[in-house]
Each structure stands twice: as C-alpha cells, then as structure tokens.
C-alpha cells in the first residue's frame, strides 16, 4: 500500500488556505446580501462540509439554527437520486429559509435528493452553498446558489474533503497530479 507521504508528493496545491479563506469571506458577503429575512436554517452536509461550515457560519448575519445532514450514495454506479440517509433533515425547517452547506458539487446527484427532501418537508426556500464547484464537460442537473471556488474535473482533497478517508485536516486543497 502506498504511504500517505508518498501520496502527498504526487499532489499539487490547487488553492492555498489563504485563498480558500478569501473565497469563504466572499461567499459569506454574497449570502448576506442575497438571502432576506431574520432567520436562517443551516444544514451542514457531513462530513466534507464540516470545515467549510465552521468558517462560513460565523460570517453570516442571521439568527441561525444549525444542524447537520448526512447522505451517501448507494455505491458508485447507481444514478437517479438513490441516496441512503444516515441523518435526514427534520421538520424544524418547515416554512423556513434553508441554506445547505456542502463541500463540493460534482454531478449533483446527492444534492438533488437533499433538496427534494427539504422541499418535501415544506421548507420555504432552499439555497445551496458549495465551497468548490467541479467543472465538468457537461451540463449539471443542478447549479449551486452560491459557490466559492471552481476546481477542474480532477480528484481534490484537503480542507474537509477526503482521499480514501484521510486528508480532511490538510489546510490547503490538494489535487492529484
Ligand atoms: P455528487 O452526488 O456527484 O454531486 O457527489 C458529491 C459528493 O461526492 C461530494 O459532496 C463529495 O463528498 C464527493 N466528491 C466529489 N468529488 C470529490 C473530490 O474531488 N474529492 C473528494 N470528494 C469528492
Ligand atoms: Mg459530500
């Protein structure tokens, strides 16, 4: 098995920690201007968005209720919104403005299911913020309401995102060469 150190040697830094923080500050300003109202119900998508949320939420000017949600896709090959819920949104979001915070938008399959579930519960508005938007060569089924930084169609990790379960604690965003 390849060692962690040798894996890191085969990566480059796509965004430094400083660049990520600038992106988070900008997206926070955008959200504060765009979403009207006193209350905001924030749902952090575990595990990847844990770090992004921890930095973003203190920059938001609302009376905030914060919870987490956790969904995984059934294996790699299944498409069509089939996700398995580990922690579903609860009905406290009924009639509320909901902001979903996620790490990266790839194909958007998980996200579509998350939004569907929030709307089924009766959320008034569902907004969606991602730290990274992966640029694919095809149209996505969904666009983020807010996104901080674009990444190429490559595997990235660090700042919350994992590579085979590790690397979430890296302060920069790494890309595999
Ligand atoms: P989607 O359903 O295809 O949008 O899958 C999105 C989820 O896959 C993200 O929330 C991440 O957890 C994971 N993911 C997608 N691309 C990457 C990547 O480059 N690095 C780490 N995780 C990724
Ligand atoms: Mg995720």
């Amino acid at each position: 098995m390849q060692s962690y150190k040798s894996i890191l040697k085969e990566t480059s830094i796509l965004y430094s920690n400083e660049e990520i923080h600038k992106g988070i500050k900008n997206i926070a300003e955008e959200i504060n201007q765009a979403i009207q109202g006193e209350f905001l119900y924030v749902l952090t998508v575990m595990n990847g968005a844990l770090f992004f949320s921890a930095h973003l939420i203190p920059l938001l000017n609302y009376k905030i209720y914060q919870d987490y949600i956790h969904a995984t896709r059934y294996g790699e090959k299944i498409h069509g919104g089939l996700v398995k819920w580990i922690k579903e949104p609860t009905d406290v979001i009924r009639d509320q403005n909901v902001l979903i915070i996620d790490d990266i938008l790839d194909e958007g399959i998980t996200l579509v299911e998350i939004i569907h579930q929030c709307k089924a519960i009766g959320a008034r508005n569902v907004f969606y913020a991602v730290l990274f938007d992966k640029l694919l060569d095809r149209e996505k089924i969904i666009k983020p309401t807010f996104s901080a930084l674009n990444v190429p169609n490559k595997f990235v990790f660090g700042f919350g995102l994992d590579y085979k379960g590790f690397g979430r604690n890296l302060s920069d965003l790494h890309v595999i060469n």
Side-chain angles (χ1 to χ4, degrees), residues 45-49 70-71 102-104 110 114 128 161-162 168:
V45 183
M46 295 302 261
N47 289 309
H70 196 175
D102 206 355
D103 52 358
I104 185 165
T110 326
I114 289 171
Y128 177 69
L161 293 94
D162 72 298
R168 295 190 196 275

Side-chain angles (χ1 to χ4, degrees), residues 45-49 71 73 79 83 102-112 114 128 130 134 136 140-142 151-158 160-164 168 173-174:
V45 183
M46 295 302 261
N47 289 309
R73 277 160 68 173
H79 292 275
V83 310
D102 206 355
D103 52 358
I104 185 165
L105 179 63
D106 189 7
E107 290 181 81
I109 293 163
T110 326
L111 168 67
V112 165
I114 289 171
Y128 177 69
V130 284
K134 196 178 269 196
L136 304 181
K140 296 194 188 193
I141 51 175
I142 191 141
V151 300
N153 191 8
K154 290 182 174 178
F155 196 84
V156 294
F157 66 105
L161 293 94
D162 72 298
Y163 174 57
K164 298 184 181 171
R168 295 190 196 275
L173 186 75
H174 292 246

Side-chain angles (χ1 to χ4, degrees), residues 6-134:
S6 70
I7 292 168
L8 280 184
K9 273 194 192 138
E10 290 167 15
T11 70
S12 352
I13 292 176
L14 190 59
Y15 289 112
S16 68
N17 186 260
E18 200 187 337
E19 288 169 320
I20 295 170
H21 279 287
K22 269 189 203 145
I24 296 175
K25 196 168 164 278
N26 291 340
I27 202 175
E29 281 167 13
E30 214 187 309
I31 294 169
N32 283 330
Q33 281 175 17
I35 303 180
Q36 302 300 309
E38 185 186 356
F39 294 93
L40 191 59
Y41 280 65
V42 175
L43 300 177
T44 301
V45 183
M46 295 302 261
N47 289 309
L50 178 65
F51 294 65
F52 174 35
S53 293
H55 290 97
L56 173 66
I57 294 170
L59 303 177
L60 299 178
N61 301 328
Y62 303 87
K63 184 170 179 183
I64 285 181
Y65 175 95
Q66 196 267 338
D67 200 357
Y68 74 96
I69 50 177
H70 196 175
T72 57
R73 277 160 68 173
Y74 282 112
E76 287 300 301
K77 287 181 188 143
I78 296 172
H79 292 275
L82 288 177
V83 310
K84 183 172 119 189
W85 283 102
I86 296 167
K87 163 78 169 67
E88 284 189 60
T90 65
D91 70 1
V92 292
I93 63 170
R94 194 187 310 277
D95 296 327
Q96 301 299 335
N97 279 342
V98 175
L99 176 68
I100 294 160
I101 301 185
D102 206 355
D103 52 358
I104 185 165
L105 179 63
D106 189 7
E107 290 181 81
I109 293 163
T110 326
L111 168 67
V112 165
E113 182 57 28
I114 289 171
I115 292 175
H116 171 83
Q117 190 69 12
C118 291
K119 289 195 170 152
I121 289 169
R124 191 194 311 150
N125 291 300
V126 183
F127 305 96
Y128 177 69
V130 284
L131 181 53
F132 304 112
D133 190 3
K134 196 178 269 196

